[in-house]
Structure formats: C-alpha cells, structure tokens
Amino acid sequence: MSEDDPNDPITDFTRRSITVQGVEKTVHAAGTGPAVVVLPEMPGISPDVLRLARWVRDAGFTVLVPSLFGTDGAFPTAEGGREVVRRACVSAEFRAFAGGGTSPVTRWLRGLARQAHAECGGPGVGAIGLCFTGNFALTMALESAVIAPVVNHPSLPLDDPGGLELDAADAHALRDRFDRDGLTVLAYRFEGDRWCTGQRFAAYRALLGEAFDGRVLPDSAANPAPPPFFAELVGTPHSVVTAHLVDEAGHPTVRARDEILAFLTARLAPPPHPAPASPRPA
C-alpha cells in the first residue's frame, strides 16, 4: 500500500480456503495464539480493516479475516462500494432488512470459529464484527467456542433503527447462553451514527441486560477525512476502530481499540495463576 496505490496487497497474511458444511470461502490468516475472527465491514476487507486485524495479530492472537463481500484489500471508493452494498442486500447469505431474521452466513462463521478453536487452542475464540457484520460477532456466540464477542456499530437491519438482526429463537438462545456462561459483549458506536442508533443499543441491552457493555463516542472523535465510501455514502461518524479511527496516542478511537484488545486478552489469554507458595520450614 502506497500513496500511488491505496490498496492493501495483504502479503503478510496467508490466504486459506476453508470449507464449512460444504461451503468454501477465502480466509486471510496471520499470527499465533488463540483465534480471533475479524469480520469485514462494507464494502469489504479494506486497508483499515486489515490495520485492525494486524493490531489484533500483534497483540498475541491468530487473526482470521474471512472474505464475505467486495474485493479483498481494496480501498473503499464510493462507486465500487455502492455496487457491493447492492449485491449484499439481495444475497441469500445476508438478511439486511427487518423481518429477515438471522443471516444464514453466520452458520458458516460459527463453523469457522469451531475449526479455529480446534486448530489454535486456548480457552475459546474471539469475534469482532464491523458495520454490516457487526451483529454477526454476537450471533457467532451461539457456537460454544466463541467467548469474546465484540460488536462495532452494527447496521442491520438497515430499515429498522431499533431492530436486531436475529430471529426470535436465536435471540432466546443467546440470552440463555450469556446467562449460563457469564459472557459479556463489548460494543461501540458514535453518538450521532444514523446507521447504528441509540435505539439499536437499547434493543441489545433489553435482550442481554448488564451483559451488554455498550460504549458511545462523541461524533467529534471521528476521523473527519475517511475514505470516499464513508465520506460520500455512509455520511456520518460510523466506523470507530477502522475508517473513522484517528491513529494518535490517547485519541478516543485509539482508546476504544485498546479496550477491545484488552477485552480479548482478558478472555482469551489470561495470565497464568501464580504457583502456590512453598510452605515455610518449621
């Protein structure tokens, strides 16, 4: 990636083909340690999504970035992004609008998490959802291997600001699992985000209670010059730890990133218990 070519070549990841329930998808993998699945945001696995994935990798995790839509590594233009959104909204894999229930692609993602846990070990798997895939990280917790879900500015369903991209059975199963296993979900949005509103966070809190840790950043913290797709089509502060992140020490969006990394570390790579002290001689 350079000033002349804003696309990311993704040369520091291994490109893998992973099959779950007979469906094959490309997954970009890097690092070692417990697994964290970083889901793409619209309009695809952008350089900013990959920057986040590298931060996760460098924090001591095996990061897996599945290709779900768009062109991997492409800089998010307005023209190209508009077409990716259009195709995703009519795809059978996604439920972009109210009444559609849980997106079928989440079954594949749960299988990916199960495989990743078997390969990477550790106490479980983390999942970070972004924008169009924001809620997918929560739905992945229907898989017992997923113990650290992070939901960033979830935008689905697009036509219901207070809706959740879940059918009733899955919502009930998630609530039961969070209660049973003591899970929490970490979530972020900007205050004035019209794609992920306060109504959406209120709906998550109504479902999960204190297990939903929703954090809201002021609009003034958003990067004022995001890539064209976000400036022209999204048109609002939205992507807390990717396109609207300001990479400066102490900045609110960088603090959000660090909180996410700390959340993953606490759940997936906790420090070992100290050995018991030897008894003192009599």
Side-chain angles (χ1 to χ4, degrees), residues 117-145:
H117 188 213
E119 290 181 12
C120 300
V125 174
I128 301 177
L130 300 163
C131 179
F132 198 83
T133 67
N135 187 63
F136 297 178
L138 176 62
T139 310
M140 287 173 67
L142 290 168
E143 161 56 43
S144 61

Side-chain angles (χ1 to χ4, degrees), residues 3-282:
E3 292 183 2
D4 295 332
D5 183 3
N7 299 317
D8 192 317
I10 329 182
T11 52
D12 54 335
F13 287 71
T14 299
R15 183 185 177 97
R16 299 178 57 186
S17 292
I18 295 181
T19 300
V20 176
Q21 298 177 343
V23 177
E24 184 179 41
K25 293 185 182 295
T26 295
V27 176
H28 301 277
T32 58
V36 176
V37 179
V38 175
L39 301 169
E41 68 181 347
M42 279 293 165
I45 303 176
S46 69
D48 286 329
V49 169
L50 290 163
R51 178 179 60 175
L52 173 62
R54 291 181 177 107
W55 282 326
V56 173
R57 174 199 64 192
D58 295 346
F61 300 103
T62 299
V63 65
L64 303 168
V65 189
S67 180
L68 304 180
F69 40 73
T71 301
D72 298 351
F75 181 74
T77 65
E79 181 179 357
R82 184 181 289 109
E83 179 58 22
V84 173
V85 173
R86 187 195 67 79
R87 290 198 301 267
C89 285
V90 299
S91 168
E93 287 198 300
F94 306 108
R95 297 288 184 265
F97 301 104
T102 305
S103 286
V105 73
T106 57
R107 291 194 294 269
W108 191 94
L109 293 168
R110 283 149 52 190
L112 172 64
R114 189 162 51 249
Q115 290 188 25
H117 188 213
E119 290 181 12
C120 300
V125 174
I128 301 177
L130 300 163
C131 179
F132 198 83
T133 67
N135 187 63
F136 297 178
L138 176 62
T139 310
M140 287 173 67
L142 290 168
E143 161 56 43
S144 61
V146 177
I147 61 173
V150 181
V151 173
N152 287 292
H153 44 88
S155 62
L156 300 187
L158 295 172
D159 58 343
D160 181 3
L164 298 181
E165 197 260 351
L166 289 167
D167 63 35
D170 285 344
H172 181 78
L174 279 168
R175 184 173 59 246
D176 285 352
R177 197 208 161 187
F178 272 65
D179 290 343
R180 182 178 65 250
D181 295 343
L183 297 186
T184 57
V185 57
L186 185 59
Y188 289 88
R189 59 177 288 269
F190 283 110
E191 185 174 16
D193 188 351
R194 64 189 177 94
W195 301 103
C196 178
T197 65
Q199 293 169 270
R200 180 104 64 219
F201 268 29
Y204 281 112
R205 194 166 292 108
L207 175 66
L208 298 174
E210 293 300 315
F212 178 76
D213 184 357
R215 305 182 183 186
V216 182
L217 275 65
D219 292 351
S220 60
N223 174 12
F229 174 81
F230 296 90
E232 299 177 29
L233 297 185
V234 176
T236 181
H238 182 61
S239 298
V240 173
V241 290
T242 51
H244 286 102
L245 179 140
V246 178
D247 193 6
E248 298 175 357
H251 192 273
T253 55
V254 169
R255 288 200 299 269
R257 177 207 65 188
D258 291 345
E259 289 164 2
I260 290 170
L261 296 178
F263 175 81
L264 295 171
T265 299
R267 284 151 181 78
L268 303 178
H273 294 294
S278 301
R280 293 181 179 179

